[in-house]
Amino acid sequence: TQLLEQSPQFLSIQEGENLTVYCNSSSVFSSLQWYRQEPGEGPVLLVTVVTGGEVKKLKRLTFQFGDARKDSSLHITAAQPGDTGLYLCAGARSNYQLIWGAGTKLIIKP
Amino acid sequence: KAGVTQTPRYLIKTRGQQVTLSCSPISGHRSVSWYQQTPGQGLQFLFEYFSETQRNKGNFPGRFSGRQFSNSRSEMNVSTLELGDSALYLCASSPRTRSETQYFGPGTRLLVL
């Protein structure tokens, strides 16, 4: 049973388009992290959101934590081929255990 | 500062064999966690070591074991390999145990034939 559901599982779009990927759970998390993993590499932390309703921006990437701290979204504006990768979310429980989503595989075509 | 390193990067084994994977954490990091990543299951937590002691353990059979040395380097061992053990094994280090921020190595891709 996947406690963190990521959607869509796969997304292929043209360069310049906007996109949003989602990370949903019925559980409350103390914080939520987003990672990007490129082929042949380990995941790299992009951002950690902690407060319900929090919005963080990282250049063209906008991360939002749901008010109830059960879900999160990642919005990419004007996607570029360099954004290609597997986007993973991980929720931290109060005992610091990380719960991982299965990821969204994103391909940006030039 | 050098990142997390894992050796070997690729490995091919046959069913029934055993394998040992190695992880060197970022200098100064004392916590090392191991994960198994497969396309269908995503990242599955195996175990965490801190100061040479296993602090947390995931839901994996006893064939999966690990240890940590005094220099914080860690090894993971899988005995009696099964086809389903084929996966990317990732190691992550952090400064302390129970840390939400983890730094991952590139992984060891294991193929069991």
Side-chain angles (χ1 to χ4, degrees):
Chain A
T1 302
Q2 199 64 258
L3 298 181
L4 258 181
E5 299 286 342
Q6 289 194 245
S7 61
Q9 289 183 315
F10 179 79
L11 186 59
S12 178
I13 62 172
Q14 292 292 138
E15 180 178 1
E17 294 183 6
N18 302 331
L19 67 109
T20 302
V21 297
Y22 301 92
C23 177
N24 296 305
S25 175
S26 58
S27 302
V28 175
F29 296 107
S30 58
S31 68
L32 194 136
Q33 303 172 1
W34 283 93
Y35 291 78
R36 180 170 65 219
Q37 183 178 18
E38 299 184 18
E41 299 297 329
V44 175
L45 179 65
L46 296 173
V47 77
T48 301
V49 285
V50 179
T51 307
E54 181 177 3
V55 177
K56 281 193 173 178
K57 292 193 175 184
L58 189 65
K59 296 182 181 179
R60 295 174 293 99
L61 278 61
T62 302
F63 305 85
Q64 184 162 10
F65 202 12
D67 291 340
R69 290 185 289 133
K70 293 181 179 181
D71 51 76
S72 181
S73 63
L74 158 59
H75 182 79
I76 300 179
T77 303
Q80 299 178 1
D83 297 327
T84 292
L86 178 68
Y87 287 81
L88 295 160
C89 65
R93 290 187 157 165
S94 57
N95 63 357
Y96 300 95
Q97 179 189 15
L98 280 179
I99 306 298
W100 292 83
T104 292
K105 188 171 184 179
L106 176 64
I107 295 177
I108 309 300
K109 295 176 285 187
Chain B
K1 189 182 273 191
V4 178
T5 58
Q6 292 186 245
T7 57
R9 292 293 308 275
Y10 304 93
L11 206 48
I12 300 175
K13 292 285 188 178
T14 56
R15 279 183 300 174
Q17 288 187 310
Q18 75 164 18
V19 67
T20 299
L21 312 181
S22 180
C23 171
S24 293
I26 292 172
S27 177
H29 285 195
R30 296 169 61 192
S31 170
V32 173
S33 296
W34 287 90
Y35 293 86
Q36 181 193 68
Q37 186 178 31
T38 57
Q41 295 295 318
L43 262 78
Q44 303 286 315
F45 173 73
L46 281 154
F47 28 66
E48 180 203 4
Y49 284 87
F50 180 80
S51 293
E52 303 177 64
T53 302
Q54 188 180 90
R55 294 302 178 104
N56 293 292
K57 189 176 189 303
N59 189 26
F60 277 81
R63 300 185 297 108
F64 292 81
S65 63
R67 59 178 176 168
Q68 187 180 35
F69 302 95
S70 58
N71 62 358
S72 294
R73 189 177 69 86
S74 177
E75 287 183 348
M76 189 194 101
N77 185 274
V78 188
S79 62
T80 320
L81 284 166
E82 300 177 359
L83 295 179
D85 296 334
S86 294
L88 180 68
Y89 289 88
L90 292 162
C91 164
S93 77
S94 53
R96 60 187 185 278
T97 189
R98 296 192 160 195
S99 172
E100 296 176 1
T101 302
Q102 299 189 333
Y103 301 85
F104 284 85
T108 295
R109 186 163 294 282
L110 172 65
L111 177 61
V112 182
L113 301 176

